[in-house]
Amino acid sequence: MPTVAVHNKKIIRTGMKPGNAMQDILSRQYYSHIIARIKKGGNVYSKNGITFYLTDSFGFCYGVDRAVDLAYATREKYPNTRLFLTTEIIHNPRVNKNLLEMGYQFLTGPYKGHVTVDELTAEDVVVIPAFGTDLQTLKRVLDKGCQIVDTTCGSVLNIWRRVESYIKDHFTVVIHGKHYHEETQATSSRVLKNPHGKYIVVLNMKEADHVAHYICQGGDKETFLKKFEKATSPGFDPDHDLEKIGLANQTTMLGSESLSIADHLKKAMLKRYGNKTLSEHFLNFDTICSATDDRQNAVMALEGKKLNLMIVVGGYNSSNTNQLCYISSQFASTYHIENFEDILSSEAIRHKPHGQWETVVTNDWLPKGPVNIGVTAGASTPDKVVGDVVEKILSFR
Ligand code: SF4
C-alpha cells in the first residue's frame, strides 16, 4: 500500500524518485570509482604491497538506499519548503551532514536544530528515517498537519506487523535490541498501541538468560524490575507477563545471537510448561533483516584470509557497524573508523574499539612490507566513504 490518507494529507511512502539533476548529486556524493574497480575485480585489489580484501557484501543496504533516495527526492519536490527529519536519517555522519547542507533541519538527535516539534506548521514537510519513528512523535507531527515522507524500511515494517500480531494474541513481546535505539523505541511504541501490550528488551544473551531464569524459577521481582527498568513497558509484571512470549529483534543486532536467544528462551518455556502447550506460551518468527545477515556472514567469510588487520567503516553510533566490528575482532586486529580522517598517518589511527563508547588512538597500526587488509562497511556507509579510506591507505605507499 503506497500511501495512507491522514488529516487530509497523505503519508508518502513510495512513488518519488530523484530526477536526473539529483541523481548526479547523489552519484558525486556517494559513488566511488576505486570501490567500483575493486568490486569488478572480485573484491580483491593489490597495489604497492597492499592487498585489500573487500567483503562480498558491505555498505548501503536496500533500506538505506531507498531512504536516501526519498530524502533527496523530497528536497527536489519541495524546493522552497522547510524540510525536517525526526532524527538522523541513518547512522552515518557524512549522509546527515549532506542533508544539513541541503537545508534539512533535525528535530532531535546529534544534529538537532532550534525548531521543535511544537513549532512545526502545516506548511512543513517531515521525513521519517529508515528505522522509523515512535508513535508518539508520529502523532505529534500529524497533529501539526505536516506532510510526511516515510522512509521506514520494509524489513522494519515487517517486525511491527509481527509484534502487533503477538499482542493481539496476548503475548508479551521480547525484543532483542538496544532499548535506547530509535528502531527499538519505534517497535516498542507499536506494542503500546494496544492497551494490554507488554514488552521487555534484552540486549544480549546474558540478559536473556536472566529472563530465562525468571521464567523457570521465578526470583526477586523488585531486583528483576530494577535490572530491566529502562527496558520494560509500564506496569510490567514478570510473574504474569512472562507466561506467554513472542520474540522479535532490532534488525541490526547480531543475527546469530538473536537465534541463540530465541532458542534459549524456547528451552526455558519448554522446561516451565512442557512440550504439549509450548505453542500457547512461545512464538518466534525469523525477523532478522537479510541485508544485516549478508553483511555479517561476509565478514565471517574473511576469516582464513591471513589478514594483518581489518578496517570497519561506519558511524560510531551505527548498531550494525558495531556488530561487524565485533565479528571481525574475533579473528583479526580490527579498527572501526568513521572515515578517512580517522587515519591520522601511516603510524597512527583513531578508532572505536568494540564495546567502548570513546575513540582511542593506536600507533604502529599499519605493518611495513606486504600487508593484507580486510575492509567492510556498515549498511549506512556510502561507497565513497569506503573508497576514501582505501585511497588514504594507498597514499602511504
Ligand atoms: S539494515 Fe535492514 S532493516 Fe535496516 S534499513 Fe537496511 S535493510 Fe532495512
Side-chain angles (χ1 to χ4, degrees):
M1 189 169 56
T3 54
V4 178
V6 185
H7 293 225
N8 298 325
K9 287 196 176 164
K10 289 175 191 299
I11 298 180
I12 299 172
R13 295 212 164 98
T14 57
M16 280 204 300
K17 288 238 172 284
N20 290 343
M22 220 30 131
Q23 287 288 4
D24 283 350
I25 294 173
L26 277 163
S27 172
R28 266 202 310 280
Q29 291 181 339
Y30 301 127
Y31 181 81
S32 163
H33 289 283
I34 190 157
I35 293 301
R37 198 182 323 150
I38 298 175
K39 281 180 181 170
K40 215 169 160 194
N43 290 337
V44 181
Y45 182 75
S46 292
K47 195 172 175 188
N48 299 336
I50 301 181
T51 301
F52 291 99
Y53 290 90
L54 243 69
T55 49
D56 283 348
S57 181
F58 68 92
F60 272 15
C61 57
Y62 50 85
V64 165
D65 236 348
R66 176 177 164 276
V68 173
D69 273 5
L70 271 171
Y72 277 62
T74 302
R75 176 77 286 175
E76 213 170 24
K77 185 175 161 81
Y78 301 97
N80 303 312
T81 305
R82 292 202 306 177
L83 296 186
F84 293 91
L85 272 152
T86 53
T87 186
E88 296 177 84
I89 187 154
I90 53 172
H91 289 139
N92 184 270
R94 173 86 63 99
V95 177
N96 288 303
K97 283 177 191 158
N98 285 342
L99 292 173
L100 268 177
E101 283 167 15
M102 288 165 69
Y104 272 93
Q105 300 181 60
F106 291 68
L107 293 166
T108 62
Y111 303 93
K112 183 180 178 320
H114 61 276
V115 180
T116 64
V117 175
D118 291 336
E119 292 160 343
L120 293 173
T121 72
E123 310 307 314
D124 296 325
V125 175
V126 178
V127 176
I128 294 174
F131 35 68
T133 194
D134 63 274
L135 279 173
Q136 295 86 332
T137 304
L138 181 65
K139 183 176 180 319
R140 286 172 70 205
V141 173
L142 284 171
D143 286 347
K144 290 286 175 186
C146 305
Q147 173 64 65
I148 289 182
V149 178
D150 182 3
T151 78
T152 308
C153 177
S155 297
V156 176
L157 295 174
N158 267 344
I159 292 177
W160 294 352
R161 277 192 283 274
R162 179 61 59 201
V163 159
E164 284 167 15
S165 80
Y166 287 157
I167 294 302
K168 211 165 112 256
D169 294 334
H170 295 259
F171 278 69
T172 292
V173 182
V174 180
I175 306 169
H176 174 215
K178 299 168 181 168
H179 66 78
Y180 49 83
H181 190 283
E182 297 93 331
E183 182 190 314
T184 293
Q185 287 176 348
T187 301
S188 46
S189 77
R190 264 74 195 173
V191 175
L192 300 181
K193 238 166 105 174
N194 194 314
H196 64 250
K198 298 282 178 199
Y199 69 82
I200 179 166
V201 182
V202 294
L203 176 65
N204 49 31
M205 181 52 100
K206 198 168 161 210
E207 290 195 359
D209 189 47
H210 212 82
V211 174
H213 194 269
Y214 202 97
I215 288 169
C216 294
Q217 298 171 30
D220 183 65
K221 197 199 295 197
E222 291 315 309
T223 310
F224 185 94
L225 289 174
K226 184 89 195 130
K227 182 170 178 54
F228 291 100
E229 198 176 11
K230 293 189 175 143
T232 43
S233 47
F236 191 88
D237 178 356
D239 291 338
H240 174 263
D241 296 329
L242 293 175
E243 284 174 1
K244 292 164 71 122
I245 59 170
L247 274 284
N249 68 313
Q250 183 184 312
T251 52
T252 49
M253 299 304 279
L254 196 59
S256 55
E257 193 176 38
S258 292
L259 293 173
S260 305
I261 285 173
D263 193 50
H264 193 51
L265 291 174
K266 183 179 176 183
K267 283 183 182 141
M269 291 312 245
L270 256 175
K271 199 165 167 192
R272 178 85 170 76
Y273 299 103
N275 198 21
K276 229 170 155 185
T277 59
L278 184 66
S279 60
E280 290 167 27
H281 295 277
F282 180 83
L283 291 175
N284 181 36
F285 294 89
D286 186 354
T287 54
I288 296 167
C289 146
S290 59
T292 300
D293 213 26
D294 290 348
R295 278 151 188 72
Q296 293 176 358
N297 290 335
V299 171
M300 288 177 212
L302 284 192
E303 191 176 0
K305 290 283 182 205
K306 297 200 169 68
L307 301 179
N308 295 90
L309 62 108
M310 181 89 186
I311 300 279
V312 179
V313 192
Y316 290 141
N317 60 347
S318 157
S319 174
N320 80 89
T321 310
N322 278 289
Q323 302 300 352
L324 299 179
C325 176
Y326 168 74
I327 295 169
S328 86
S329 62
Q330 305 298 303
F331 61 86
S333 300
T334 298
Y335 301 100
H336 174 183
I337 62 175
E338 281 197 333
N339 56 51
F340 77 96
E341 286 166 352
D342 290 318
I343 302 176
L344 306 175
S345 68
S346 59
E347 271 83 43
I349 189 167
R350 179 176 53 227
H351 63 104
K352 187 177 91 62
H354 178 72
Q356 295 186 27
W357 293 102
E358 302 296 328
T359 56
V360 297
V361 173
T362 296
N363 293 313
D364 300 325
W365 67 279
L366 184 62
K368 311 271 184 262
V371 56
N372 291 339
I373 302 179
V375 179
T376 194
S380 45
T381 312
D383 278 8
K384 177 85 172 74
V385 176
V386 186
D388 289 349
V389 166
V390 168
E391 281 174 350
K392 177 96 182 243
I393 296 173
L394 283 173
S395 75
F396 299 135
R397 302 279 173 97

